[in-house]
Amino acid sequence: MSEKFSQQKDYMQLALAEAEKAAAAGEVPVGAVLVAPDGTVLAALGNAMRRAHDATAHAEMQVIRAACAALNNERLTGCDLYVTLEPCPMCAGAIAEARIRRVYYGVADMKGGAVDHGVALFAQPSCHHRPEVYGGLRESDCAALLTDFFRLRRNGEIN
């Protein structure tokens, strides 16, 4: 296993841990990690829409805000994003605006995703920044977390 893949796996493991924390708080279990070009983790957070009463508090938006604040810059040039679920249109737009270098996601979102599915924002001519995108990282782990969460919700075991 290459060192780069090993690091990517560790970053996705951190994103999965954040997704698990979100699930424990009753949030849809999505976690994200933003990594600086030198490999430093700038932010690691999960969904917080219910807790924050904020429709924009997706994991990706949370880490983008935190990383921009940490760097005191609206651009995250050279930074990489690891997220357990394919980003939605809102998050894909924020990724492009922040100029994130690479996006690694776990499981594809055929219905709400906007990176490789749906509007495929980065493939649109109007998109001014196109990060490199790599899907399927720890896909089965990410999918299992979401499947379990929604099964429990359907069964009334969580709200």
Side-chain angles (χ1 to χ4, degrees):
M1 178 184 311
S2 75
E3 182 179 329
K4 184 169 181 119
F5 179 76
S6 177
Q7 286 177 342
Q8 290 169 350
K9 190 172 183 179
D10 291 344
Y11 295 134
M12 188 57 83
Q13 181 58 45
L14 184 54
L16 277 161
E18 292 298 326
E20 289 170 358
K21 288 180 197 174
E27 301 281 353
V28 173
V30 177
V33 176
L34 243 162
V35 180
D38 68 359
T40 302
V41 173
L42 297 170
L45 294 159
N47 272 354
M49 296 177 348
R50 288 180 145 197
R51 287 173 285 170
H53 306 288
D54 180 355
T56 69
H58 290 196
E60 301 95 311
M61 299 296 286
Q62 301 275 86
V63 295
I64 289 170
R65 288 180 186 127
C68 286
L71 296 175
N72 199 30
N73 195 329
E74 75 279 8
R75 299 284 191 236
L76 299 172
T77 306
C79 294
D80 297 337
L81 173 68
Y82 294 79
V83 60
T84 57
L85 181 65
E86 179 183 358
C88 73
M90 173 184 67
C91 294
I95 289 164
E97 290 297 325
R99 306 298 194 264
I100 291 171
R101 175 177 60 179
R102 293 185 195 109
V103 175
Y104 298 90
Y105 69 84
V107 67
D109 186 347
M110 305 306 257
K111 187 175 178 182
V115 172
D116 287 328
H117 300 91
V119 298
L121 182 75
F122 304 139
Q124 300 304 315
S126 59
C127 186
H128 298 293
H129 173 74
R130 294 171 180 85
E132 295 174 33
V133 175
Y134 303 93
L137 192 61
R138 301 285 303 266
E139 183 175 22
S140 60
D141 296 329
C142 296
L145 189 57
L146 285 160
T147 300
D148 291 347
F149 176 82
F150 285 111
R151 180 182 45 76
L152 291 171
R153 183 176 271 178
R154 275 191 307 278
N155 293 339
E157 296 175 47
I158 57 174
N159 291 331

